[in-house]
Amino acid sequence: MTIEQVIRKIQEYNPEADIALIERAYEFAKSAHEGQIRKTGDPYIIHPLHTAFTLAQIKADIPTIVAGLLHDVPEDTSRTLEEVKENFGEEIANLVAGITKLSNIKYRGEERYKESLRKMFLAMAEDLRVILIKFADRLHNLRTLEGVDSKKRQRICRETLEIYAPIAGLLGVWSLKWQMEDICFKYLYPEEYQDLEYKYEIERRAELNQYINKLKIILDSELSKSGIEHKIEGRFKHLYSIWQKMKNKDRKFDEVYDVFALRVIVPTVADCYNVLGIIHSIWRPNYNRFKDYIAVPKPNGYRSLHTTVFGPEGKSAEFQIRTQEMHDEAQYGISAHAHYKSQMNEKTDRPLRWIQEILEAQKDSSDTAEFIQTVKLDVFKDRIFVFTPKGDVYDLPRGSTPIDFAYAVHTEVGNKCSQAIVNSKNYPLDHELKNGDMVEILLEKNRKSPNHDWLKFVKTRKAKDRIRQYSRRFRLGQIKNIIPGFKDN
Ligand code: MN
């Protein structure tokens, strides 16, 4: 891997990129890591180069790629974060600082694991791009695991499968998620991996390839006849996802039939539907397996038309039809969103919308609930995370106070709140909470109602409503005492 390769990759999607800046970052990182050797025996600079290349593959913006080149400088060299800031400015320094914070995350059993997740959330709250850099960094570390002892290797893989991959999925960075998963699958379940790889790669791949080619040739000629500009790609499912499918549905490999799909990429949404019509006119569709994710996108924002047809020899074949933008979004997730947004100067924040939809869709799944809660925050710049002493996370609007927190925990905790301890110190109830604060609320058991004056400083709707409700009920109670027969409707 060379800096020229990284630059060429960037220029594919961003011809106006500031190449001088990239080169300067490369020289800075190279001299900082001078003399350092990776466990694989390579000079250290290879690692930040790979990280930057992966970021360019997912069409990350320039500050993210520069930070990718510099990401291990403050942690592993004598050059400081301050120097990074002097040379590359605050935005890039902040990204590098985010990575440095994250590098302390280790998998050390259940407790630590949760702690890690929490740090991950906090980093995301500040800048989602930090997570993208971390994924790229992790991917290269996974690719060079051969140089690491087996115990540490296991730990890194487990941590990746349990923390990184699910987050990559949530953010829609599928291409990185799949790559990370397959590497971890190989190390954590070597027998299952080899078994599946053998069946997939050796027994069926050639046969499937032939079949895919046959479909491609037929469709290509029909689409050319109707003058629709198009690209057709055959795509195999990655091994880990097939394995998951076999496990979850208790099937043998031969029974997992959707191991490949053909992707048709066309210029416009109208073309997508035209192509669908053409495919259905060539082969008989299996209507049970038709999905219009353009009209109704998946909760994570995924858009495409999916149809499965009875192809030649009566074998089923899946087609996924989409525009280039939909394709990039499906591959690179939040990273591609940012790219298209800056390109088109869109005002609407699509990532925001689809993350909100994920939240809606997954409201009830308790195991990821904590994580989901926080994903909301990372894009909502005006939100903060606050922790209970037990480690539960609550998200609140910026400017929230211990009273808002108390009501977020439970109405009764709010109603009976008497003191707030923030990071082990006593604070007044109107104290403004900050991201990452740990808050403990002391209750006054005999208190009957919240203090009406709290309305002057609380921020959340819930706190306001509860306090008002109480005051209203309280006043109504008084009126009832004074006017017998008064009815509250
Ligand atoms: Mn690194």
Side-chain angles (χ1 to χ4, degrees), residues 86-327:
E86 279 162 27
N87 284 276
F88 300 97
E90 186 146 1
E91 183 185 9
I92 287 164
N94 283 341
L95 290 172
V96 175
I99 294 295
T100 310
K101 269 192 246 165
L102 275 174
S103 69
N104 299 322
I105 296 186
K106 296 264 153 55
Y107 187 87
R108 296 196 214 95
E110 198 56 29
E111 277 310 297
R112 289 289 176 159
Y113 165 73
K114 285 195 172 171
E115 181 66 32
S116 306
L117 274 174
R118 241 171 258 139
K119 283 188 185 164
M120 202 79 162
F121 301 157
L122 289 175
M124 289 166 84
E126 280 154 35
D127 199 326
L128 265 183
R129 294 175 299 178
V130 171
I131 303 292
L132 296 178
I133 301 168
K134 195 63 200 169
F135 289 155
D137 170 49
R138 173 53 56 103
L139 185 59
H140 186 246
N141 285 335
L142 289 171
R143 285 188 179 136
T144 51
L145 274 182
E146 287 301 338
V148 173
D149 71 76
S150 92
K151 209 172 159 198
K152 190 174 175 194
R153 207 189 289 156
Q154 293 260 327
R155 204 248 305 141
I156 290 174
C157 288
R158 196 141 302 183
E159 178 185 273
T160 305
L161 278 188
E162 290 175 19
I163 305 180
Y164 289 73
I167 294 177
L170 261 178
L171 299 181
V173 200
W174 297 105
S175 64
L176 299 189
K177 178 185 196 281
W178 290 331
Q179 291 180 65
M180 290 195 282
E181 280 177 347
D182 270 3
I183 296 171
C184 297
F185 178 32
K186 184 171 94 185
Y187 284 117
L188 291 177
Y189 306 93
E191 281 172 27
E192 288 88 342
Y193 180 88
Q194 269 168 22
D195 187 41
L196 199 56
E197 191 189 33
Y198 181 82
K199 285 188 178 133
Y200 195 19
E201 301 284 334
I202 301 176
E203 288 185 351
R204 279 185 76 189
R205 191 94 176 204
E207 172 204 330
L208 285 173
N209 262 329
Q210 250 184 345
Y211 191 66
I212 287 172
N213 267 333
K214 201 185 258 177
L215 293 165
K216 255 191 196 170
I217 290 167
I218 298 171
L219 183 59
D220 181 61
S221 94
E222 289 301 315
L223 292 181
S224 300
K225 267 188 233 161
S226 52
I228 299 173
E229 200 184 303
H230 62 275
K231 224 165 42 187
I232 308 173
E233 291 171 2
R235 180 223 152 208
F236 290 94
K237 290 244 163 79
H238 72 300
L239 291 176
Y240 186 72
S241 78
I242 295 174
W243 187 59
Q244 292 287 89
K245 216 166 222 174
M246 288 163 63
K247 268 203 329 187
N248 295 341
K249 301 198 173 161
D250 198 24
R251 285 188 178 144
K252 295 201 176 67
F253 177 67
D254 300 328
E255 295 159 1
V256 180
Y257 55 93
D258 49 351
V259 293
F260 76 92
L262 277 106
R263 279 197 188 129
V264 188
I265 298 165
V266 291
T268 68
V269 171
D271 291 332
C272 292
Y273 289 99
N274 283 334
V275 170
L276 180 75
I278 291 169
I279 290 172
H280 285 180
S281 72
I282 309 173
W283 299 291
R284 191 163 58 86
N286 178 347
Y287 278 112
N288 293 326
R289 310 241 319 147
F290 170 67
K291 295 267 161 49
D292 185 345
Y293 293 121
I294 293 179
V296 186
K298 280 194 188 181
N300 63 10
Y302 176 83
R303 294 179 297 159
S304 269
L305 298 175
H306 285 196
T307 187
T308 300
V309 300
F310 299 98
E313 302 150 45
K315 288 185 199 160
S316 69
E318 183 183 341
F319 289 88
Q320 301 172 350
I321 311 159
R322 47 174 78 156
T323 64
Q324 187 66 43
E325 180 181 352
M326 293 174 196
H327 181 60

Side-chain angles (χ1 to χ4, degrees), residues 38 44 47-48 51 68 71-72 76 99 134 137-138 140-141:
R38 296 268 296 175
Y44 198 91
H47 168 66
T51 305
H71 80 272
D72 279 329
D76 296 338
I99 294 295
K134 195 63 200 169
D137 170 49
R138 173 53 56 103
H140 186 246
N141 285 335

